[in-house]
Amino acid sequence: MSGFRYERTPIDEETGRERVGSFGLILQPYTREEAVLEGQRCLQCAMPFCVQACPITQDCRGYLGLIAQRRFDDAARLTLLDNPLATVLCKCCYHYCEEDCVMGGRGTPIAIRHLKRAALELGRSDLVYVPSAPRTERIAVIGAGPAGLMAAWELGLRGYPVTVYEQAAFLGGQVETIPRYHLEGTELRRDLDRFRDLDITFVTGKRAGEAFTPESLLKDGYRAVYVAIGASDPRALGIPGENLPGVFPALPFLLSVNEGPDGLFGRKNRRVVVIGGGDVALDAARSAIRLTNGGDVTVVYRRTREEMPAGAEEVDEGGEEGLRFLFERAPIEIVGDDQVRGIVVRSVRPGPADARGRPTTVEVAGSDETLPCDTVLVAVGERADIAALPAELDLSPSRHPWPEGKRPDWMTDVEGVFASGGKSVVYAMAAGSKAAEAIDAYLAKKDGRNPLPRPDPFGGGGTAPGPPKGYGGPTWTL
Ligand SMILES: Cc1cc2nc3c(=O)[nH]c(=O)nc-3n(C[C@H](O)[C@H](O)[C@H](O)COP(=O)(O)OP(=O)(O)OC[C@H]3O[C@@H](n4cnc5c(N)ncnc54)[C@H](O)[C@@H]3O)c2cc1C
Ligand code: SF4
Ligand code: SF4
């Protein structure tokens, strides 16, 4: 047999019991030797499926090869060359690359995301991005989540002056709601530190639709506007009792947990029910079990475990931490007086497919049961809050919960205004990158010049290298 090592160099992690009551990072970093060992497992494939699966075509094959040669400084630089939010992503990316790594066919995929962390933590990552010659066309970005930040980076590198308007007091959008056991909270600041020489101005506490509109920004002299407002308006359950004290939407709850030691509901509550089956529901439930020091936390989901949209890793780890799961149950009513006392749920069974062939569910009459609880966390999805934005833009969500321009380059119905977003941090970054290219192409066409390719982000002259040799085109769509 060959000398391939099919199994991953183990990553130290806290046990389920250690994790309860602690918001410390679960995954511990590789040592230098462990990182080199894992990097050396990479086959350096001529056709790098890992790169093709990465929405921002991060040259992961490249940095794995450099780590294998112990060249950590070079690995950090290569990582940051096409990934300006790498410090965030090295801990929280859903690592689409690893799903397509060929080593997964026989053993465990290379720990591509964890080695990105090794590159940045063991190599020199306090680098600074260098803008090209300044341009005069001002561009506005609305929303400082990963999509808006990536667009600002792309445009700032090309020399455009960019103003990012953000309604919140902080930057990062939904990244700020990611629990501390995945992301410590200082990562985004370290990434944005590298932006300091780009001509990007951040204006926080300014909400589009109130202080200004995309059209008013165009009138104020911005040549293009990118609307990157994401989807963080919580959907309601639409059942009686939803307004009782003790019922919280998951996003504000998660944000409050990250902001203060006791979160929105303090540590006094012990019996929590979380409604939903996605990653946000799991984040809320796993945060609640930490906050209540191993309290009674039940996740209620209307379909089966196999159908849960949450990642298997999250569900497994949540189980190790003591979460209880109740599948095939629908919430019917939240009961209580001056506080939640319980939630009534009803059994649900698979029903016939609907007209479009999608599986449906039917509620089983007479199967109601009341789960005693004092807190209900609602995580049944989010949508964009576009109520205050002008209807002429036609930002109504279509394929996705976030607003997207309906033209192929994501221009909206108003010329010069673009809109998009993404289902995860790296997908949102890819959307921001494409939007920036579209804005640059739009301005180039208007001004009768060629579009500007992404320059070398570290000012080496020429253009950025782009996807590595062997790259065969993306395997994903936004
Ligand atoms: C709890 C939670 C955990 C997650 N965990 C992960 C994870 O581990 N890994 C991962 O890859 N992804 C994760 N995601 C998903 C990821 O965070 C999002 O897909 C991503 O942030 C979307 O980026 P965006 O820029 O499109 O939108 P957002 O991040 O939502 O950013 C939009 C920004 O626009 C601002 N805004 C909205 N309306 C206006 C307005 N009218 N005027 C001005 N500003 C406005 C918002 O305040 C926000 O800052 C998680 C999401 C949540 C909610
Ligand atoms: S950004 Fe995410 S998908 Fe891309 S290489 Fe890194 S871990 Fe993989
Ligand atoms: S697919 Fe896997 S083995 Fe091949 S280059 Fe990518 S990380 Fe290395």
Side-chain angles (χ1 to χ4, degrees):
M1 275 300 288
S2 70
F4 292 157
R5 274 181 299 116
Y6 289 110
E7 293 315 317
R8 182 172 284 188
T9 311
I11 300 171
D12 264 358
E13 54 183 278
E14 292 185 321
T15 63
R17 190 172 287 276
E18 284 166 345
R19 296 202 294 265
V20 169
S22 152
F23 279 88
L25 277 185
I26 295 174
L27 298 184
Q28 304 305 307
Y30 273 146
T31 62
R32 202 168 274 268
E33 284 317 308
E34 287 166 341
V36 170
L37 214 56
E38 182 64 6
Q40 288 174 346
R41 271 204 327 127
C42 170
L43 305 176
Q44 293 291 301
C45 305
M47 172 63 84
F49 293 124
C50 49
V51 178
Q52 279 175 235
C54 173
I56 54 167
T57 60
Q58 166 94 79
D59 185 1
C60 43
R61 180 186 63 180
Y63 73 67
L64 297 177
L66 291 167
I67 290 174
Q69 298 168 50
R70 302 173 186 275
R71 293 167 57 190
F72 286 92
D73 286 350
D74 292 335
R77 192 175 191 283
L78 185 71
T79 301
L80 296 168
L81 208 59
D82 42 22
N83 189 346
L85 302 184
T87 319
V88 168
L89 282 175
C90 75
K91 290 180 188 157
C92 79
C93 185
Y94 294 135
H95 48 71
Y96 308 98
C97 49
E98 293 177 22
E99 275 157 41
D100 282 16
C101 168
V102 294
M103 286 298 271
R106 286 288 298 273
T108 328
I110 309 298
I112 303 174
R113 184 189 69 187
H114 209 56
L115 284 175
K116 197 193 308 296
R117 178 171 168 188
L120 297 176
E121 291 182 359
L122 300 170
R124 207 182 145 203
S125 59
D126 58 342
L127 307 173
V128 181
Y129 291 121
V130 180
S132 5
R135 303 195 61 80
T136 53
E137 307 99 315
R138 293 158 62 218
I139 297 168
V141 172
I142 303 176
L149 294 174
M150 183 71 172
W153 178 75
E154 290 276 12
L155 294 163
L157 282 181
R158 289 167 169 84
Y160 289 105
V162 182
T163 311
V164 182
Y165 292 96
E166 167 56 51
Q167 65 177 5
F170 54 85
L171 307 178
Q174 291 179 29
V175 169
E176 289 302 295
T177 59
I178 297 177
R180 295 287 180 249
Y181 52 85
H182 283 320
L183 214 52
E184 283 170 303
T186 53
E187 294 85 353
L188 183 71
R189 210 177 53 230
R190 271 182 273 153
D191 282 333
L192 292 184
D193 231 31
R194 296 184 204 99
F195 286 35
R196 61 178 177 266
D197 287 350
L198 306 183
D199 189 356
I200 302 175
T201 309
F202 293 105
V203 181
T204 52
K206 286 271 185 284
R207 179 171 159 81
E210 289 171 3
F212 58 88
T213 64
E215 286 137 310
S216 75
L217 293 174
L218 290 177
K219 283 197 190 102
D220 286 349
Y222 288 101
R223 295 284 309 278
V225 179
Y226 176 44
V227 180
I229 59 172
S232 40
D233 207 19
R235 284 177 198 269
L237 288 171
I239 60 171
E242 201 164 354
N243 296 322
L244 282 171
V247 182
F248 303 101
L251 253 54
F253 161 72
L254 286 166
L255 197 57
S256 77
V257 173
N258 282 349
E259 277 170 351
D262 288 348
L264 209 54
F265 63 58
R267 286 179 186 259
K268 67 181 179 357
N269 300 293
R270 288 292 178 268
R271 302 185 101 174
V272 182
V273 169
V274 181
I275 307 291
D279 283 315
V280 175
L282 263 293
D283 283 345
R286 297 182 67 187
S287 295
I289 206 153
R290 285 166 168 76
L291 211 54
T292 56
N293 240 326
D296 180 350
V297 181
T298 305
V299 178
V300 173
Y301 178 52
R302 63 180 299 124
R303 294 177 188 268
T304 60
R305 175 177 176 145
E306 293 66 42
E307 292 168 287
M308 271 186 123
E313 214 171 271
E314 291 287 323
V315 182
D316 291 346
E317 289 181 0
E320 288 162 19
E321 289 159 12
L323 294 184
R324 288 196 309 128
F325 291 93
L326 208 49
F327 296 108
E328 299 188 289
R329 300 290 199 292
I332 301 300
E333 181 182 0
I334 300 170
V335 291
D337 29 57
D338 56 346
Q339 175 69 29
V340 170
R341 304 282 170 215
I343 181 164
V344 181
V345 297
R346 185 172 294 163
S347 291
V348 170
R349 293 282 170 263
D354 68 9
R356 290 164 62 189
R358 291 172 310 186
T360 61
T361 52
V362 285
E363 292 177 3
V364 180
S367 63
D368 290 8
E369 58 186 305
T370 302
L371 311 176
C373 62
D374 45 43
T375 305
V376 175
L377 299 175
V378 182
V380 290
E382 293 79 31
R383 64 181 127 212
D385 177 6
I386 52 166
L389 289 166
E392 305 84 83
L393 291 166
D394 187 17
L395 292 179
S396 54
S398 46
R399 294 179 305 161
H400 302 301
W402 53 85
E404 203 171 67
K406 306 288 188 292
R407 301 190 198 181
D409 63 352
W410 292 318
M411 200 191 280
T412 64
D413 283 357
V414 173
E415 190 188 323
V417 179
F418 298 73
S420 65
K423 64 178 179 182
S424 64
V425 174
V426 72
Y427 267 97
M429 288 169 69
S433 177
K434 300 265 174 247
E437 280 173 17
I439 288 172
D440 176 55
Y442 161 74
L443 293 178
K445 193 167 172 201
K446 282 202 93 137
D447 298 344
R449 60 168 171 82
N450 289 326
L452 306 165
R454 185 196 288 168
D456 177 346
F458 293 117
T463 55
K469 208 162 154 256
Y471 172 74
T475 52
W476 44 268
T477 49
L478 285 173

